Amino acid sequence: MPQSIHRGIKALIDEANAEIETISARDAITLIGKDDVVIVDIRDPREIERDGKIPGAFSCTRGMLEFWIDPNSPYAKPVFQEDKKFVFHCAGGMRSALAAKTAQDMGLKPVAHMGGGFAAWRDAGGPIEAWEPKKKG
């Protein structure tokens, strides 16, 4: 028997977008280098390797988000404990809407997501840097 999904991804994204702040790629470009803003890239590492990244963005895969935000988690990351604005982005704006909503529901604030994601960033002429693997040792 097939599953009966009552709230699909479209409904989840619509609900998220109704409750979170969305900023345009053009507005996000003006935030680069600001001390009180963290741009959070939730794309898969393969996407970042293939397409590049926003300079200075903090990478956090969508699957680790809740664990890295929660200060009581053994995986908590100090960046999410800072008093800053967190702007999430993904490739096209769907995963980042869900991520921003989750972060906001957890109590992280202020949060926003970049509408249109990395594609909108690229189309708006935002700077892109090549992915550099972490140095071991």
Side-chain angles (χ1 to χ4, degrees), residues 81-103:
Q81 311 316 311
E82 297 176 5
D83 186 21
K84 298 187 177 193
K85 179 172 188 159
F86 297 89
V87 178
F88 294 87
H89 85 85
C90 61
M94 292 187 288
R95 289 173 289 173
S96 60
L98 297 174
K101 171 80 165 63
T102 296

Side-chain angles (χ1 to χ4, degrees), residues 9-10 12-18 20-25 40-43 47 54 62 87-101 112-122:
I9 194 67
K10 182 177 181 341
L12 292 172
I13 292 168
D14 288 347
E15 290 167 13
N17 280 320
I20 60 172
E21 177 186 1
T22 300
I23 63 172
S24 71
V40 182
D41 187 339
I42 62 162
R43 294 176 299 151
E47 292 174 282
I54 294 173
R62 178 66 185 93
V87 178
F88 294 87
H89 85 85
C90 61
M94 292 187 288
R95 289 173 289 173
S96 60
L98 297 174
K101 171 80 165 63
H113 99 108
M114 183 173 62
F118 192 76
W121 177 272
R122 186 180 50 240

Side-chain angles (χ1 to χ4, degrees), residues 48-64:
I48 297 169
E49 181 177 357
R50 180 189 67 220
D51 299 328
K53 63 180 273 203
I54 294 173
F58 178 76
S59 295
C60 172
T61 61
R62 178 66 185 93
M64 290 304 293

